[in-house]
Amino acid sequence: MSEISKAYEPQSVEAKWYQFWLDQNCFTADPARVSESRPAYSIVIPPPNVTGVLTLGHVLNNTIQDILARKARMDGKEVLWLPGTDHAGIATQNVVEKSLKKAGEIKHRNDLGREALVARIWEWKEKYGGIILQQLRALGASCDWTRTRFTMDPEYSRCVSRVFVDLYKKGHIYRGKRMVNWCPASLTALSDEEVIMKEQKGFLYHFKVEVVGSTPASGVAVGAPADGSGRAASSTRSIAADGASAAAPGAGAVPTFLTIATTRPETIPGDTAVAVNPKDPRYAHLIGKHVVRPLPVELPREQKLIPIIGDEHVDFEFGTGVLKVTPAHDKADFEIGQRHKLPVVEVIEADGKMNALAGQDLNGLDRFAARKIAVEKLKELGALEKEEPYTNNVGFSERADVPIEPRLSEQWFLKYPRVTQSKACVAQPGSAPASGADSGVPPESLSARGFSISANVAARSPVGGTPTGAGETPALPEKMQFYPERWAKVYDHWMTGLQDWCISRQLWWGHRIPVWRKEWSGKKPDRTMEGLSVEVLQAELNFENAAKVSFSREPGSESWIRFDNEFKTCFVATWSPAEEQKLVQLGFTQDPDVLDTWFSSWLWPFATMGWTDDKSQDSNNPTLRAFYPTTDLVTGPDIIFFWVARMIMAGYEWMGEMPFRNVYFTGIIRDKQGRKMSKSLGNSPDPLDLINQYGADALRFGIMRSAPQGQDLLFDEQSVELGRNFCNKLWNACRFRQMQSSASASAPGVPPGGTLEQSSGAGSESGSTRRDAGGTTEGTATFEFEADIQTSLLTSDDKWILLKLNAAIREVTEALNGYRFNEAANALYRFFWSEYCDWYVEATKAVLQLPDDPSNPRVAARKQNTLAVMDFVLSNTLRLFHPFLPFITEELWQGMGFNGDLPKDQGGDTIMFARWPKPFDPEFRDFYALDDCYLER
RNA sequence: GGGCGCUUGGCGCAGUGGUAGCGCAGCAGCUUUACACGCUGUGGGUCGGGGGUUCGAAUCCCUCAGCGCCCACCA
């Protein structure tokens, strides 16, 4: 830093230092270095979609992870921050399909076919995938890039298959024909979590249907009572009960009508019953009779008779109290259908278009167009009684953003494993004594060791760990800690009502389900199953459980076989290539579906570390042994169910241990007006632009300073500006020091640095370990603070700033231990700007500007001492800042000639491994002659 | 229908029992030899409403209201 510029110019330093860190392998984790004195610290990145580009959400998320990782390095830990990307099934397939369509190459994915499309997606992935990881480098993310993983790496895919087969054999995975959430745009099933409920304005259509099989006499009894729900009863007069007295002029019986309310008239052709509550006095007597379904119009009346059934599910307060039952297109209706053995008539196809069973008027129409036509038809028939504006919740496909269609289809389902254990492992608010993190450092009066304990260790070990770290803590079962804690309740609630997980997707991009199948024709499977062994025939006896077989007879190759009588199909699950080959030879075909993306990402914490499902191998895997369970997970609360909860279950199931000790949930980034960031609103600034304009440190600091724990964050570019200004302040404060240096008689260029920690390390003999001031310590591994500061010459200003520094160290450390990043950032800001710059630097000017007087050596000594204090404060400040502002601190660290605490060949020439400062030990109060009055100030 | 969060000066937020703070914006000055991405000074809030506990409440309790999020098979 020979020529220091007037303003900090991030562009000229960021790339340089990032490359420097890479060249020095500063980010690389080595499990061999882990030891008692060098504990492991690990984070796995929430893998962004391969198609992703950096958003402010990523900036927030990854800055936090980087702060944690860099802080842990400075605490002397062996740090693994493992990066990677997610194949993101639907999203990626959509993106590539769209781009191919746009380029005019294809009209439909079938034009290419499965293999070719998948090949194209891989091509695309190699070319454009992982841009986001590149962008993270610009942010300063200190990931161990040598361990970058992708959820579809061969090794990772193997984990997915193994896990599937394992669950299959344990009976957790089954195949079933069920109502699922179907996305008519992506043409695949979705899990419940992928459905987003949205309020939709529509209409509640009331239409009447004629009841047949009733006699006028019986119909009389049922009036439309004015009690209960007024709107239902009075407005619709549900049954034309007065029909009898009306003495219909027509021939034959007087018709009786029921009025039904529906939001989906287009599904009428699929109705196979009308349901009422058996306890409803208005309708109960009609159960067993039939009604005439109005649609399709052209169908003869006799073919449209559907029964009136009684079912408890019907709420007679709602609508007219009469429910049309469409088992094929509504989840609740399907269940009613099951209970009453109703036929299932599908009138909507997979793509959301009506089919022939819907009748000629609707056939081929999109479901929403069909709705309009259906209403018209009802009008024409005189059946429509009214249309009532109505708002209801409709499920939308998360990815395609179209209303999902409940649809009956055959899918693979998973009964979640380890639910009880996973539910119990997370500390609930108020349940456990929230130790460590918030209790912080005890007051001054505490005995000597109070301050110097690594608060990090204490705080991060979830339960117990008192700050003194003495072994007196009872060995309570270790709990996982959520930050903020309230998310634990959300988690708990979800874990309580778990439904089986639909894990199959009708897509091409993803992990193909490792199941091969073959149907049989006769009563028993064995006739068509050539090559099946004796074990299989035994297995055949038990259709419930999977049996272990080996088709290929190769050692280690095994399959799990299961017979399904209902579908007359034999299913074989295997992850062994030899078995696959043999199965194909035997005429088996692989299941065409792929697995839900989350079925691979729930293995992320260990599948990325080379897990194999082979206990002997895994216990010899140094990475897994050193870094699993991971320490912290940083993610958004929006994927607490998708990802976090499932990782916990997977962690217990296959590793026997929770996957992480702490989970930090960030807030969601919104714009100034509180709206979500979105491409269509154009309110989502490109972080790279911000980095170019203000610098990565500015962006990091700005966003961290305005991100309260777990609260949504309203992003304002001004906060980044503030970050830039702050960097500039830091820059100039160091510049000021540099200018003094050259003006004074002190050792030029390389002012010694030091940490409070070393001072404290010198302990009680510190007085005797003092060395003479001067540059004699250059080039050695460590510096002694007291070598450069003469206590006897400390002014009250010097003492004051030393104590403020001490307070800042304590404050920042505690805030970071409690994951209160904005507090830490604020403390740094306040300390450096308001205390160091505004007061201390200004105060020093009086001293530093004293004219040199050879006859009075005390003047020079005082100046020298002031500079030593400055160096001390600055070097410790840079350490404190480094996790937040990695680039500028490295630049200044090097430029000021500060040295780390390790020899150069061990990373001593970078601030990255400089020790995190620790507050004074109490005895140092005496050493520096720091009176209590300074402590108060 | 349940659950959770938020409501503090113009804007965004800190502040969990002891006389209201920060940043931005505002206003008045400043070519002060680190920094105008700066410095000095200054105006502005009865802490959503109501009730309670307390010597004392933005801070604890109750209640109401508004906004937001999550969960839930009312057609």
Side-chain angles (χ1 to χ4, degrees), chain A residues 444-463:
Chain A
E444 271 79 356
S445 61
L446 207 106
S447 68
R449 35 196 321 235
F451 291 170
S452 54
I453 182 79
S454 166
N456 188 40
V457 172
R460 295 285 158 79
S461 57
V463 172

Side-chain angles (χ1 to χ4, degrees), chain A residues 223-234 280-282 316-317:
Chain A
D227 65 304
S229 84
R231 59 177 172 166
S234 62
D280 190 334
R282 296 171 297 178
F316 44 86
E317 301 268 311

